[in-house]
Short mmCIF file of all heavy atoms in Angstrom, two decimals:
data_model
loop_
_atom_site.label_atom_id
_atom_site.label_comp_id
_atom_site.label_asym_id
_atom_site.label_seq_id
_atom_site.Cartn_x
_atom_site.Cartn_y
_atom_site.Cartn_z
N MET A 18 -15.35 9.81 8.22
CA MET A 18 -14.11 9.37 8.84
C MET A 18 -13.11 10.53 8.87
O MET A 18 -13.04 11.31 7.94
CB MET A 18 -13.52 8.18 8.07
CG MET A 18 -12.59 7.39 8.94
SD MET A 18 -12.13 5.74 8.35
CE MET A 18 -13.00 5.49 6.84
N ASN A 19 -12.36 10.63 9.95
CA ASN A 19 -11.39 11.71 10.09
C ASN A 19 -9.96 11.22 9.90
O ASN A 19 -9.66 10.04 10.05
CB ASN A 19 -11.51 12.35 11.48
CG ASN A 19 -12.82 13.11 11.63
OD1 ASN A 19 -13.42 13.52 10.64
ND2 ASN A 19 -13.28 13.27 12.84
N CYS A 20 -9.08 12.19 9.60
CA CYS A 20 -7.67 11.88 9.37
C CYS A 20 -7.04 11.24 10.61
O CYS A 20 -7.25 11.68 11.74
CB CYS A 20 -6.94 13.17 9.02
SG CYS A 20 -5.15 12.99 8.91
N TRP A 21 -6.25 10.20 10.37
CA TRP A 21 -5.55 9.49 11.45
C TRP A 21 -4.63 10.45 12.22
O TRP A 21 -4.44 10.33 13.42
CB TRP A 21 -4.72 8.36 10.84
CG TRP A 21 -3.89 7.60 11.82
CD1 TRP A 21 -2.57 7.81 12.10
CD2 TRP A 21 -4.31 6.53 12.64
NE1 TRP A 21 -2.16 6.92 13.06
CE2 TRP A 21 -3.20 6.12 13.40
CE3 TRP A 21 -5.54 5.86 12.80
CZ2 TRP A 21 -3.28 5.07 14.31
CZ3 TRP A 21 -5.61 4.81 13.70
CH2 TRP A 21 -4.49 4.44 14.45
N HIS A 22 -4.08 11.44 11.53
CA HIS A 22 -3.06 12.31 12.12
C HIS A 22 -3.64 13.53 12.82
O HIS A 22 -3.20 13.91 13.89
CB HIS A 22 -2.08 12.79 11.04
CG HIS A 22 -1.31 11.67 10.40
ND1 HIS A 22 -0.16 11.15 10.95
CD2 HIS A 22 -1.54 10.97 9.26
CE1 HIS A 22 0.30 10.18 10.15
NE2 HIS A 22 -0.52 10.06 9.14
N CYS A 23 -4.64 14.20 12.19
CA CYS A 23 -5.04 15.52 12.68
C CYS A 23 -6.52 15.62 13.03
O CYS A 23 -6.98 16.69 13.43
CB CYS A 23 -4.68 16.59 11.66
SG CYS A 23 -5.59 16.44 10.11
N GLU A 24 -7.31 14.54 12.87
CA GLU A 24 -8.72 14.52 13.26
C GLU A 24 -9.61 15.40 12.39
O GLU A 24 -10.77 15.61 12.72
CB GLU A 24 -8.90 14.95 14.74
CG GLU A 24 -8.02 14.18 15.72
CD GLU A 24 -8.60 12.81 16.05
OE1 GLU A 24 -9.83 12.68 16.05
OE2 GLU A 24 -7.82 11.89 16.31
N ARG A 25 -9.08 15.94 11.31
CA ARG A 25 -9.93 16.69 10.38
C ARG A 25 -10.50 15.72 9.35
O ARG A 25 -10.03 14.61 9.23
CB ARG A 25 -9.12 17.81 9.71
CG ARG A 25 -8.87 18.98 10.68
CD ARG A 25 -8.16 20.11 9.99
NE ARG A 25 -6.83 19.70 9.55
CZ ARG A 25 -5.88 20.53 9.17
NH1 ARG A 25 -6.10 21.82 9.15
NH2 ARG A 25 -4.70 20.10 8.80
N PRO A 26 -11.54 16.17 8.60
CA PRO A 26 -12.15 15.25 7.63
C PRO A 26 -11.12 14.69 6.66
O PRO A 26 -10.27 15.42 6.16
CB PRO A 26 -13.17 16.13 6.90
CG PRO A 26 -13.51 17.19 7.89
CD PRO A 26 -12.24 17.46 8.66
N ALA A 27 -11.19 13.38 6.41
CA ALA A 27 -10.20 12.71 5.55
C ALA A 27 -10.61 12.81 4.09
O ALA A 27 -11.79 12.93 3.76
CB ALA A 27 -10.09 11.24 5.95
N HIS A 28 -9.62 12.77 3.20
CA HIS A 28 -9.86 12.79 1.76
C HIS A 28 -9.67 11.43 1.12
O HIS A 28 -10.02 11.24 -0.04
CB HIS A 28 -8.90 13.78 1.10
CG HIS A 28 -9.18 15.21 1.46
ND1 HIS A 28 -8.47 15.87 2.42
CD2 HIS A 28 -10.11 16.07 1.01
CE1 HIS A 28 -8.96 17.11 2.54
NE2 HIS A 28 -9.95 17.25 1.70
N GLY A 29 -9.08 10.52 1.84
CA GLY A 29 -8.85 9.21 1.24
C GLY A 29 -8.46 8.20 2.29
O GLY A 29 -8.34 8.53 3.48
N VAL A 30 -8.24 6.98 1.84
CA VAL A 30 -7.92 5.88 2.74
C VAL A 30 -6.63 5.22 2.27
O VAL A 30 -6.45 4.96 1.08
CB VAL A 30 -9.08 4.86 2.76
CG1 VAL A 30 -8.69 3.61 3.53
CG2 VAL A 30 -10.33 5.49 3.35
N CYS A 31 -5.74 4.92 3.20
CA CYS A 31 -4.48 4.25 2.89
C CYS A 31 -4.76 2.93 2.18
O CYS A 31 -5.60 2.14 2.61
CB CYS A 31 -3.71 4.00 4.19
SG CYS A 31 -2.21 3.02 3.97
N GLN A 32 -4.05 2.67 1.09
CA GLN A 32 -4.23 1.44 0.32
C GLN A 32 -3.70 0.22 1.04
O GLN A 32 -3.99 -0.90 0.66
CB GLN A 32 -3.49 1.56 -1.02
CG GLN A 32 -4.13 2.52 -1.99
CD GLN A 32 -5.47 2.01 -2.46
OE1 GLN A 32 -5.57 0.94 -3.05
NE2 GLN A 32 -6.52 2.76 -2.20
N PHE A 33 -2.91 0.42 2.07
CA PHE A 33 -2.22 -0.70 2.72
C PHE A 33 -2.86 -1.14 4.02
O PHE A 33 -2.89 -2.31 4.34
CB PHE A 33 -0.75 -0.33 2.94
CG PHE A 33 -0.08 0.10 1.66
CD1 PHE A 33 0.00 1.44 1.32
CD2 PHE A 33 0.40 -0.84 0.77
CE1 PHE A 33 0.59 1.84 0.13
CE2 PHE A 33 0.99 -0.46 -0.43
CZ PHE A 33 1.08 0.89 -0.75
N CYS A 34 -3.38 -0.17 4.81
CA CYS A 34 -3.91 -0.55 6.12
C CYS A 34 -5.32 -0.06 6.35
O CYS A 34 -5.96 -0.48 7.30
CB CYS A 34 -2.99 -0.04 7.22
SG CYS A 34 -3.06 1.76 7.39
N GLY A 35 -5.83 0.87 5.53
CA GLY A 35 -7.20 1.32 5.68
C GLY A 35 -7.38 2.53 6.57
O GLY A 35 -8.51 2.98 6.78
N ARG A 36 -6.28 3.09 7.12
CA ARG A 36 -6.42 4.32 7.89
C ARG A 36 -6.84 5.46 6.96
O ARG A 36 -6.38 5.53 5.82
CB ARG A 36 -5.09 4.71 8.54
CG ARG A 36 -4.69 3.84 9.72
CD ARG A 36 -3.36 4.34 10.27
NE ARG A 36 -2.95 3.61 11.45
CZ ARG A 36 -2.11 2.57 11.44
NH1 ARG A 36 -1.62 2.12 10.30
NH2 ARG A 36 -1.77 1.99 12.56
N ALA A 37 -7.67 6.38 7.46
CA ALA A 37 -8.08 7.54 6.68
C ALA A 37 -7.09 8.68 6.88
O ALA A 37 -6.59 8.89 7.98
CB ALA A 37 -9.48 7.98 7.10
N VAL A 38 -6.83 9.42 5.80
CA VAL A 38 -5.91 10.55 5.89
C VAL A 38 -6.43 11.73 5.06
O VAL A 38 -7.11 11.55 4.05
CB VAL A 38 -4.48 10.20 5.39
CG1 VAL A 38 -3.70 9.44 6.44
CG2 VAL A 38 -4.51 9.41 4.10
N CYS A 39 -6.12 12.96 5.51
CA CYS A 39 -6.47 14.16 4.75
C CYS A 39 -5.39 14.42 3.70
O CYS A 39 -4.34 13.78 3.71
CB CYS A 39 -6.61 15.36 5.69
SG CYS A 39 -5.04 15.90 6.39
N LYS A 40 -5.64 15.40 2.81
CA LYS A 40 -4.66 15.69 1.76
C LYS A 40 -3.33 16.12 2.34
O LYS A 40 -2.27 15.81 1.81
CB LYS A 40 -5.20 16.80 0.84
CG LYS A 40 -6.19 16.31 -0.17
CD LYS A 40 -6.61 17.45 -1.07
CE LYS A 40 -7.71 16.99 -2.02
NZ LYS A 40 -8.33 18.13 -2.72
N GLN A 41 -3.37 16.85 3.42
CA GLN A 41 -2.14 17.38 4.00
C GLN A 41 -1.24 16.26 4.51
O GLN A 41 -0.02 16.36 4.45
CB GLN A 41 -2.49 18.34 5.13
CG GLN A 41 -1.30 19.14 5.62
CD GLN A 41 -1.64 19.94 6.87
OE1 GLN A 41 -2.80 20.27 7.11
NE2 GLN A 41 -0.63 20.24 7.66
N HIS A 42 -1.84 15.22 5.04
CA HIS A 42 -1.05 14.16 5.65
C HIS A 42 -0.89 12.92 4.77
O HIS A 42 -0.17 12.00 5.13
CB HIS A 42 -1.66 13.76 7.00
CG HIS A 42 -1.50 14.82 8.03
ND1 HIS A 42 -2.54 15.57 8.50
CD2 HIS A 42 -0.38 15.26 8.66
CE1 HIS A 42 -2.06 16.44 9.39
NE2 HIS A 42 -0.76 16.27 9.50
N ALA A 43 -1.58 12.90 3.63
CA ALA A 43 -1.47 11.74 2.74
C ALA A 43 -0.08 11.68 2.13
O ALA A 43 0.50 12.70 1.77
CB ALA A 43 -2.52 11.83 1.64
N LYS A 44 0.47 10.49 2.03
CA LYS A 44 1.73 10.26 1.34
C LYS A 44 1.46 9.22 0.25
O LYS A 44 0.37 8.67 0.18
CB LYS A 44 2.79 9.74 2.31
CG LYS A 44 3.10 10.69 3.45
CD LYS A 44 4.21 10.12 4.29
CE LYS A 44 4.48 10.94 5.55
NZ LYS A 44 4.26 12.37 5.43
N THR A 45 2.46 8.99 -0.57
CA THR A 45 2.29 7.95 -1.60
C THR A 45 3.37 6.91 -1.43
O THR A 45 4.44 7.17 -0.87
CB THR A 45 2.35 8.56 -3.02
OG1 THR A 45 3.61 9.19 -3.20
CG2 THR A 45 1.24 9.56 -3.24
N HIS A 46 3.07 5.71 -1.92
CA HIS A 46 4.00 4.59 -1.81
C HIS A 46 3.69 3.65 -2.96
O HIS A 46 2.52 3.45 -3.28
CB HIS A 46 3.78 3.88 -0.47
CG HIS A 46 4.87 2.93 -0.10
ND1 HIS A 46 4.98 1.68 -0.66
CD2 HIS A 46 5.90 3.05 0.76
CE1 HIS A 46 6.04 1.08 -0.14
NE2 HIS A 46 6.63 1.88 0.72
N PRO A 47 4.70 3.07 -3.59
CA PRO A 47 4.42 2.11 -4.66
C PRO A 47 3.60 0.94 -4.15
O PRO A 47 3.85 0.44 -3.05
CB PRO A 47 5.81 1.65 -5.11
CG PRO A 47 6.74 2.71 -4.63
CD PRO A 47 6.14 3.26 -3.37
N SER A 48 2.62 0.54 -4.92
CA SER A 48 1.75 -0.56 -4.51
C SER A 48 1.70 -1.62 -5.60
O SER A 48 1.47 -1.32 -6.76
CB SER A 48 0.34 -0.03 -4.26
OG SER A 48 -0.53 -1.10 -3.95
N LEU A 49 1.94 -2.85 -5.21
CA LEU A 49 1.87 -3.96 -6.15
C LEU A 49 0.40 -4.33 -6.35
O LEU A 49 -0.29 -4.68 -5.40
CB LEU A 49 2.63 -5.14 -5.55
CG LEU A 49 2.92 -6.32 -6.48
CD1 LEU A 49 3.95 -5.95 -7.51
CD2 LEU A 49 3.38 -7.51 -5.65
N ILE A 50 -0.10 -4.21 -7.57
CA ILE A 50 -1.51 -4.53 -7.77
C ILE A 50 -1.73 -5.84 -8.49
O ILE A 50 -2.80 -6.41 -8.41
CB ILE A 50 -2.27 -3.40 -8.51
CG1 ILE A 50 -1.61 -3.08 -9.84
CG2 ILE A 50 -2.35 -2.15 -7.63
CD1 ILE A 50 -2.42 -2.11 -10.67
N ASP A 51 -0.73 -6.33 -9.21
CA ASP A 51 -0.94 -7.60 -9.89
C ASP A 51 0.41 -8.23 -10.24
O ASP A 51 1.39 -7.53 -10.44
CB ASP A 51 -1.75 -7.38 -11.18
CG ASP A 51 -2.46 -8.64 -11.62
OD1 ASP A 51 -2.39 -9.66 -10.90
OD2 ASP A 51 -3.10 -8.61 -12.68
N VAL A 52 0.45 -9.55 -10.27
CA VAL A 52 1.65 -10.27 -10.70
C VAL A 52 1.21 -11.26 -11.77
O VAL A 52 0.19 -11.92 -11.64
CB VAL A 52 2.28 -11.04 -9.52
CG1 VAL A 52 3.48 -11.85 -10.00
CG2 VAL A 52 2.72 -10.07 -8.43
N PHE A 53 1.95 -11.31 -12.86
CA PHE A 53 1.57 -12.23 -13.93
C PHE A 53 2.84 -12.76 -14.58
O PHE A 53 3.95 -12.29 -14.28
CB PHE A 53 0.68 -11.51 -14.96
CG PHE A 53 1.32 -10.30 -15.58
CD1 PHE A 53 2.01 -10.41 -16.78
CD2 PHE A 53 1.24 -9.06 -14.95
CE1 PHE A 53 2.61 -9.29 -17.34
CE2 PHE A 53 1.84 -7.93 -15.53
CZ PHE A 53 2.52 -8.06 -16.72
N ARG A 54 2.70 -13.73 -15.46
CA ARG A 54 3.85 -14.30 -16.17
C ARG A 54 3.78 -13.87 -17.62
O ARG A 54 2.72 -13.91 -18.23
CB ARG A 54 3.83 -15.82 -16.06
CG ARG A 54 3.95 -16.29 -14.64
CD ARG A 54 3.92 -17.80 -14.57
NE ARG A 54 5.24 -18.36 -14.81
CZ ARG A 54 5.58 -19.60 -14.48
NH1 ARG A 54 4.69 -20.41 -13.92
NH2 ARG A 54 6.78 -20.04 -14.70
N ASN A 55 4.92 -13.47 -18.17
CA ASN A 55 4.94 -13.13 -19.59
C ASN A 55 5.07 -14.39 -20.44
O ASN A 55 5.11 -15.50 -19.91
CB ASN A 55 6.04 -12.09 -19.89
CG ASN A 55 7.43 -12.64 -19.66
OD1 ASN A 55 7.62 -13.85 -19.52
ND2 ASN A 55 8.41 -11.77 -19.61
N ASP A 56 5.13 -14.20 -21.76
CA ASP A 56 5.12 -15.38 -22.63
C ASP A 56 6.41 -16.20 -22.55
O ASP A 56 6.50 -17.28 -23.11
CB ASP A 56 4.82 -14.96 -24.09
CG ASP A 56 5.72 -13.84 -24.58
OD1 ASP A 56 6.70 -13.53 -23.87
OD2 ASP A 56 5.44 -13.29 -25.64
N LYS A 57 7.44 -15.68 -21.85
CA LYS A 57 8.65 -16.45 -21.62
C LYS A 57 8.62 -17.16 -20.27
O LYS A 57 9.58 -17.80 -19.87
CB LYS A 57 9.88 -15.55 -21.71
CG LYS A 57 10.09 -14.94 -23.09
CD LYS A 57 11.41 -14.18 -23.16
CE LYS A 57 11.61 -13.53 -24.52
NZ LYS A 57 10.69 -12.39 -24.75
N GLY A 58 7.53 -16.99 -19.53
CA GLY A 58 7.39 -17.66 -18.25
C GLY A 58 7.98 -16.89 -17.07
O GLY A 58 7.97 -17.37 -15.96
N ALA A 59 8.48 -15.67 -17.33
CA ALA A 59 9.05 -14.88 -16.24
C ALA A 59 7.94 -14.11 -15.52
O ALA A 59 6.98 -13.66 -16.14
CB ALA A 59 10.09 -13.91 -16.79
N TYR A 60 8.10 -13.95 -14.22
CA TYR A 60 7.10 -13.20 -13.47
C TYR A 60 7.30 -11.70 -13.66
O TYR A 60 8.43 -11.20 -13.64
CB TYR A 60 7.21 -13.54 -11.98
CG TYR A 60 6.59 -14.86 -11.65
CD1 TYR A 60 7.38 -15.98 -11.45
CD2 TYR A 60 5.21 -14.99 -11.56
CE1 TYR A 60 6.82 -17.21 -11.16
CE2 TYR A 60 4.63 -16.22 -11.28
CZ TYR A 60 5.44 -17.33 -11.08
OH TYR A 60 4.87 -18.53 -10.80
N ARG A 61 6.20 -11.00 -13.89
CA ARG A 61 6.22 -9.55 -14.03
C ARG A 61 5.22 -8.98 -13.03
O ARG A 61 4.19 -9.57 -12.77
CB ARG A 61 5.79 -9.13 -15.45
CG ARG A 61 6.63 -9.75 -16.54
CD ARG A 61 7.95 -9.06 -16.70
NE ARG A 61 7.77 -7.72 -17.24
CZ ARG A 61 8.69 -6.75 -17.15
NH1 ARG A 61 9.81 -7.00 -16.52
NH2 ARG A 61 8.48 -5.59 -17.68
N ALA A 62 5.53 -7.82 -12.46
CA ALA A 62 4.63 -7.20 -11.49
C ALA A 62 4.09 -5.89 -12.04
O ALA A 62 4.81 -5.11 -12.65
CB ALA A 62 5.38 -6.93 -10.18
N LEU A 63 2.79 -5.66 -11.81
CA LEU A 63 2.16 -4.41 -12.19
C LEU A 63 2.10 -3.55 -10.93
O LEU A 63 1.54 -3.95 -9.91
CB LEU A 63 0.75 -4.71 -12.70
CG LEU A 63 0.11 -3.70 -13.65
CD1 LEU A 63 1.00 -3.48 -14.87
CD2 LEU A 63 -1.24 -4.24 -14.09
N VAL A 64 2.69 -2.37 -10.99
CA VAL A 64 2.85 -1.55 -9.79
C VAL A 64 2.24 -0.17 -10.00
O VAL A 64 2.42 0.44 -11.04
CB VAL A 64 4.36 -1.40 -9.46
CG1 VAL A 64 4.57 -0.44 -8.31
CG2 VAL A 64 4.96 -2.75 -9.13
N VAL A 65 1.51 0.30 -9.00
CA VAL A 65 1.06 1.69 -8.99
C VAL A 65 2.10 2.47 -8.19
O VAL A 65 2.37 2.17 -7.03
CB VAL A 65 -0.32 1.82 -8.31
CG1 VAL A 65 -0.73 3.29 -8.21
CG2 VAL A 65 -1.36 1.05 -9.10
N ALA A 66 2.70 3.47 -8.82
CA ALA A 66 3.83 4.16 -8.19
C ALA A 66 3.41 5.06 -7.03
O ALA A 66 4.18 5.30 -6.12
CB ALA A 66 4.58 4.98 -9.22
N ASP A 67 2.19 5.58 -7.07
CA ASP A 67 1.82 6.56 -6.05
C ASP A 67 0.47 6.25 -5.40
O ASP A 67 -0.40 7.09 -5.31
CB ASP A 67 1.81 7.96 -6.65
CG ASP A 67 0.85 8.07 -7.83
OD1 ASP A 67 0.35 7.02 -8.28
OD2 ASP A 67 0.59 9.19 -8.28
N ALA A 68 0.32 5.03 -4.94
CA ALA A 68 -0.88 4.67 -4.20
C ALA A 68 -0.92 5.45 -2.89
O ALA A 68 0.10 5.77 -2.30
CB ALA A 68 -0.88 3.17 -3.90
N LEU A 69 -2.12 5.79 -2.44
CA LEU A 69 -2.29 6.57 -1.22
C LEU A 69 -1.78 5.80 0.00
O LEU A 69 -2.11 4.63 0.19
CB LEU A 69 -3.77 6.93 -1.04
CG LEU A 69 -4.11 7.84 0.14
CD1 LEU A 69 -3.35 9.15 0.07
CD2 LEU A 69 -5.60 8.11 0.15
N PHE A 70 -0.98 6.47 0.79
CA PHE A 70 -0.29 5.84 1.91
C PHE A 70 -0.41 6.74 3.13
O PHE A 70 -0.24 7.96 3.03
CB PHE A 70 1.17 5.62 1.50
CG PHE A 70 2.09 5.18 2.59
CD1 PHE A 70 1.75 4.12 3.43
CD2 PHE A 70 3.31 5.81 2.79
CE1 PHE A 70 2.61 3.71 4.44
CE2 PHE A 70 4.18 5.40 3.78
CZ PHE A 70 3.83 4.35 4.61
N CYS A 71 -0.70 6.17 4.29
CA CYS A 71 -0.96 6.97 5.49
C CYS A 71 0.31 7.49 6.16
O CYS A 71 0.26 8.41 6.96
CB CYS A 71 -1.76 6.14 6.50
SG CYS A 71 -0.84 4.73 7.14
N GLY A 72 1.45 6.88 5.87
CA GLY A 72 2.69 7.30 6.52
C GLY A 72 2.91 6.64 7.86
O GLY A 72 3.92 6.88 8.52
N VAL A 73 1.98 5.82 8.31
CA VAL A 73 2.08 5.18 9.62
C VAL A 73 2.43 3.70 9.49
O VAL A 73 3.33 3.20 10.17
CB VAL A 73 0.76 5.31 10.40
CG1 VAL A 73 0.90 4.66 11.78
CG2 VAL A 73 0.35 6.76 10.54
N CYS A 74 1.73 3.01 8.62
CA CYS A 74 1.96 1.58 8.50
C CYS A 74 3.22 1.33 7.69
O CYS A 74 3.84 2.25 7.17
CB CYS A 74 0.75 0.90 7.87
SG CYS A 74 0.41 1.39 6.18
N ARG A 75 3.61 0.08 7.56
CA ARG A 75 4.88 -0.24 6.90
C ARG A 75 4.67 -1.26 5.79
O ARG A 75 4.88 -2.46 6.00
CB ARG A 75 5.86 -0.82 7.92
CG ARG A 75 6.26 0.18 8.97
CD ARG A 75 7.13 -0.50 9.99
NE ARG A 75 7.61 0.46 10.97
CZ ARG A 75 8.85 0.51 11.40
NH1 ARG A 75 9.73 -0.35 10.93
NH2 ARG A 75 9.21 1.39 12.29
N PRO A 76 4.27 -0.78 4.62
CA PRO A 76 4.11 -1.73 3.51
C PRO A 76 5.45 -2.39 3.20
O PRO A 76 6.49 -1.72 3.17
CB PRO A 76 3.68 -0.85 2.34
CG PRO A 76 3.24 0.44 2.94
CD PRO A 76 4.00 0.59 4.22
N GLN A 77 5.42 -3.70 2.96
CA GLN A 77 6.65 -4.43 2.66
C GLN A 77 6.85 -4.53 1.16
O GLN A 77 5.90 -4.65 0.41
CB GLN A 77 6.58 -5.85 3.26
CG GLN A 77 6.36 -5.85 4.76
CD GLN A 77 7.54 -5.24 5.50
OE1 GLN A 77 8.69 -5.62 5.28
NE2 GLN A 77 7.26 -4.28 6.37
N GLU A 78 8.08 -4.44 0.73
CA GLU A 78 8.38 -4.50 -0.70
C GLU A 78 8.06 -5.87 -1.27
O GLU A 78 7.63 -6.00 -2.40
CB GLU A 78 9.86 -4.20 -0.93
CG GLU A 78 10.25 -2.77 -0.58
CD GLU A 78 9.75 -1.78 -1.62
OE1 GLU A 78 9.55 -2.19 -2.76
OE2 GLU A 78 9.57 -0.61 -1.27
N ASP A 79 8.31 -6.90 -0.52
CA ASP A 79 8.15 -8.26 -1.02
C ASP A 79 7.13 -9.01 -0.18
O ASP A 79 6.98 -8.74 1.00
CB ASP A 79 9.49 -9.01 -0.95
CG ASP A 79 10.55 -8.32 -1.77
OD1 ASP A 79 10.30 -8.05 -2.95
OD2 ASP A 79 11.62 -8.04 -1.21
N PRO A 80 6.46 -9.98 -0.79
CA PRO A 80 5.56 -10.83 0.01
C PRO A 80 6.35 -11.57 1.08
O PRO A 80 7.51 -11.90 0.87
CB PRO A 80 4.98 -11.81 -1.01
CG PRO A 80 5.29 -11.22 -2.35
CD PRO A 80 6.50 -10.37 -2.19
N ILE A 81 5.71 -11.81 2.20
CA ILE A 81 6.38 -12.55 3.25
C ILE A 81 5.89 -14.00 3.25
O ILE A 81 4.81 -14.29 2.75
CB ILE A 81 6.12 -11.94 4.65
CG1 ILE A 81 4.61 -11.89 4.93
CG2 ILE A 81 6.74 -10.55 4.73
CD1 ILE A 81 4.29 -11.57 6.37
N ASP A 82 6.69 -14.88 3.77
CA ASP A 82 6.30 -16.27 3.88
C ASP A 82 5.30 -16.42 5.01
O ASP A 82 5.48 -15.85 6.10
CB ASP A 82 7.51 -17.15 4.18
CG ASP A 82 8.45 -17.22 2.99
OD1 ASP A 82 7.96 -17.12 1.85
OD2 ASP A 82 9.66 -17.35 3.21
N LEU A 83 4.23 -17.16 4.77
CA LEU A 83 3.27 -17.42 5.82
C LEU A 83 3.70 -18.66 6.59
O LEU A 83 4.18 -19.62 6.00
CB LEU A 83 1.88 -17.65 5.23
CG LEU A 83 1.19 -16.41 4.66
CD1 LEU A 83 -0.09 -16.82 3.97
CD2 LEU A 83 0.90 -15.41 5.76
N PRO A 84 3.53 -18.62 7.91
CA PRO A 84 3.86 -19.83 8.67
C PRO A 84 2.90 -20.96 8.30
O PRO A 84 1.80 -20.71 7.82
CB PRO A 84 3.66 -19.39 10.13
CG PRO A 84 2.79 -18.18 10.06
CD PRO A 84 3.05 -17.52 8.73
N ASP A 85 3.34 -22.15 8.49
CA ASP A 85 2.50 -23.30 8.18
C ASP A 85 1.27 -23.30 9.08
O ASP A 85 1.37 -23.32 10.31
CB ASP A 85 3.33 -24.57 8.44
CG ASP A 85 2.62 -25.80 7.90
OD1 ASP A 85 1.42 -25.69 7.53
OD2 ASP A 85 3.24 -26.86 7.84
N LEU A 86 0.08 -23.20 8.46
CA LEU A 86 -1.14 -23.04 9.24
C LEU A 86 -1.74 -24.37 9.68
O LEU A 86 -2.69 -24.40 10.44
CB LEU A 86 -2.18 -22.27 8.43
CG LEU A 86 -1.76 -20.83 8.05
CD1 LEU A 86 -2.83 -20.21 7.17
CD2 LEU A 86 -1.54 -19.97 9.27
N SER A 87 -1.20 -25.47 9.20
CA SER A 87 -1.82 -26.75 9.49
C SER A 87 -1.40 -27.29 10.85
O SER A 87 -0.46 -26.79 11.44
CB SER A 87 -1.46 -27.76 8.41
OG SER A 87 -0.07 -27.97 8.37
ZN1 LIG B 116 -4.50 15.18 8.48
ZN1 LIG B 117 -1.43 2.76 6.13
#
């Protein structure tokens, strides 16, 4: 697979959309990998601060509401 930006061989894949990117064009973006509740019942999020990011797509900070599918 080649880089989305420059068509040279890619070094990795964006964690958010799956586009391939080379080292030169790779960026990083915080990625939410898990959400859990602590012993007080509060929600806590586990975040990777520098997940591989293509620079093209738009990861959202918060989950979005899904429309009613029924
Ligand atoms: Zn590139
Ligand atoms: Zn992406």
Side-chain angles (χ1 to χ4, degrees):
M18 202 165 358
N19 291 337
C20 173
W21 176 264
H22 297 276
C23 65
E24 308 280 329
R25 285 184 296 194
H28 292 99
V30 172
C31 174
Q32 289 293 300
F33 305 95
C34 70
R36 287 180 177 96
V38 281
C39 70
K40 280 183 185 168
Q41 191 188 335
H42 290 109
K44 300 184 187 327
T45 59
H46 193 282
S48 176
L49 192 70
I50 56 173
D51 203 4
V52 177
F53 58 94
R54 298 180 84 162
N55 65 13
D56 52 10
K57 296 186 182 70
Y60 283 102
R61 304 282 291 161
L63 204 56
V64 174
V65 176
D67 59 350
L69 184 57
F70 171 49
C71 66
V73 181
C74 65
R75 294 175 176 225
Q77 302 295 309
E78 293 286 335
D79 301 308
I81 58 168
D82 291 330
L83 289 173
D85 190 349
L86 298 176
S87 61

